[in-house]
Amino acid sequence: MSSTSDPVRLGVVGLGRAFALTAPAIAAHPGVVPVAAAAPRAESRDAFRAAFGGRVYAEVADLAADPEVEAVYVTTPHGMHLDHALTAIRAGKHVLVEKPMAVSLGDACAMVRAARAAGVTLIVGPSHSFDGPVKLAADLIAAGAIGGVRMIHALYATDFLYRPRRADELSTDLGGGVVFSQAIHQVDLVRRLAGGRAVSVYARTGGAWDPARPTEGAYAMMIDFADGAFASLTYSGYAHVDGDRLMEGVSELGVPKPAAHRAARAALSAAPDEAAAKRARGFATLAECPVAETHEHFGQVLVFGERGDLRLTPGGVEVTDDRERRFHPAPFRTTRAEVFDTLHAALRAGVPPLQSGVWGRASLEICHALLASARTGRPQGLVHQGETA
Ligand SMILES: NC(=O)c1ccc[n+]([C@@H]2O[C@H](COP(=O)([O-])OP(=O)(O)OC[C@H]3O[C@@H](n4cnc5c(N)ncnc54)[C@H](O)[C@@H]3O)[C@@H](O)[C@H]2O)c1
């Protein structure tokens, strides 16, 4: 980021797990200053005020009416994103909305239309497409390091299904399961690296392999791109093999991976009140937020090109071609700094964000196509991969 002056004045809606993961970046980034928050629980509001000062509200409408707030970070559950984003947009605020931007494509379209009509910026994130190594890989590809992209492989295995969950996070109809919360990351980063327009999706899901967690816990999908490139994306959230072992023992959040991966199921069944355990993972103090030592990642990503291949690591990108294997480090400041670089550049320098509402809608469409292909057994075409109504 070139300028540290005139930081974007940010209001935050929702102070749960996602905010706890992003708060260290907000606290550290010179281009953003948190000035207000809205959340229904008094403990959360007190925690925000103790960490950042500023004003706190029980109602989103009151935060949206706060004249000091310039941009609103919507970090409530998926099903509330449209309502909270529209409240902010109608008050003339710019919006950074968590992934997925919505559960239904209709809601995503409504959000894009509202932002366009109000002339405000809409950014969807944080997502792993912002990660430093993903940006570096996209820059290397654009500079011709491997020639044209032919094929991408993305694979990740986590304990997603056994982290404490709200009931809606285990209902596919309400946006639960790994598709809306995890495929959206993988799709986002693969699209950034493929650089082309996706045209079709063929997929299978692992649904209810554990009847106690009756939603999609795994998937495998193939995406075809208009320029002939194709990508295979595989994910399991069933807490057996640990995908972070393929990533130098670094967790998704950029911290050394604790050994407890396989213990996630046992830990969950020992928790008497899952909803309370979920709340306990929300924002409490800055000191309790995970502090990344390297970039975040979303598992193994290999890009196969005409003249060479790329492998993403938590520290950067390894390029292998006929002549050599060379590691390019990705400069690291704090976790998620790239998200607030993007927000600051959009609002202060008029740089259009890559991860716009239109971009987020395209990734969401691919998640729906994943589910539809798994349901029907057939490939699915795509219509929202660019500017549409
Ligand atoms: N980018 C990431 O790495 C990441 C990580 C986790 C979650 N997320 C996303 O963030 C969103 C929230 O997920 P979470 O895990 O943080 O959920 P959560 O349940 O931990 O937090 C949701 C927060 O919203 C608040 N809330 C609920 N109703 C509200 C209302 N009417 N007004 C204001 N606040 C309200 C809750 O009190 C809570 O503080 C989801 O869309 C999820 O996909 C993103």
Side-chain angles (χ1 to χ4, degrees), residues 188-359:
D188 232 38
L189 76 83
V190 163
R191 288 181 59 230
R192 184 167 192 180
L193 299 175
R197 179 175 287 235
V199 291
S200 76
V201 170
Y202 184 66
R204 290 286 183 273
T205 53
W209 288 350
D210 177 355
R213 314 295 271 178
T215 183
E216 285 79 20
Y219 59 81
M221 70 190 297
M222 180 80 86
I223 305 177
D224 281 316
F225 290 88
D227 60 3
F230 53 92
S232 67
L233 292 72
T234 303
Y235 182 96
S236 169
Y238 281 107
H240 290 136
V241 70
D242 181 355
D244 295 326
R245 290 181 57 217
L246 301 174
M247 299 304 291
E248 303 173 0
V250 173
S251 84
E252 176 182 349
L253 301 177
V255 300
K257 182 66 186 271
H261 181 86
R262 285 181 300 110
R265 288 172 189 238
L268 186 64
S269 43
D273 179 348
E274 186 166 351
K278 169 76 186 182
R279 278 195 301 279
R281 283 162 57 88
F283 181 73
T285 67
L286 270 173
E288 287 167 77
C289 297
V291 178
E293 296 173 12
T294 68
H295 290 285
E296 297 191 357
H297 69 78
F298 204 70
Q300 200 178 51
V301 179
L302 300 173
V303 183
F304 300 89
E306 284 171 312
R307 292 195 303 276
D309 302 333
L310 303 183
R311 183 174 72 88
L312 278 62
T313 79
V317 178
E318 184 185 85
V319 182
T320 309
D321 60 21
D322 292 347
R323 290 169 296 127
E324 60 178 1
R325 188 174 67 218
R326 187 162 157 212
F327 184 72
H328 299 253
F332 177 71
R333 288 165 290 159
T334 66
T335 180
R336 304 185 177 200
E338 296 80 4
V339 176
F340 297 99
D341 294 348
T342 302
L343 180 69
H344 188 272
L347 271 52
R348 294 291 180 264
V351 179
L354 173 69
Q355 290 92 344
S356 64
V358 167
W359 172 275

Side-chain angles (χ1 to χ4, degrees), residues 13-19 21-22 38-41 44 58-60 73-78 80-81 84 98-100 125-128 165-166 169 180-181 185 252-253 278-279 281-282 296 336:
V13 176
L15 297 170
R17 180 66 181 164
F19 182 67
L21 301 182
T22 310
R41 292 172 58 238
S44 305
E59 299 296 331
V60 180
Y73 173 30
V74 176
T75 173
T76 46
H78 315 340
M80 298 180 184
H81 288 179
H84 293 157
E98 268 292 350
K99 45 52 62 176
S127 89
H128 285 290
R165 295 285 165 210
R166 299 182 316 270
E169 293 180 286
F180 291 105
S181 284
H185 278 302
E252 176 182 349
L253 301 177
K278 169 76 186 182
R279 278 195 301 279
R281 283 162 57 88
E296 297 191 357
R336 304 185 177 200

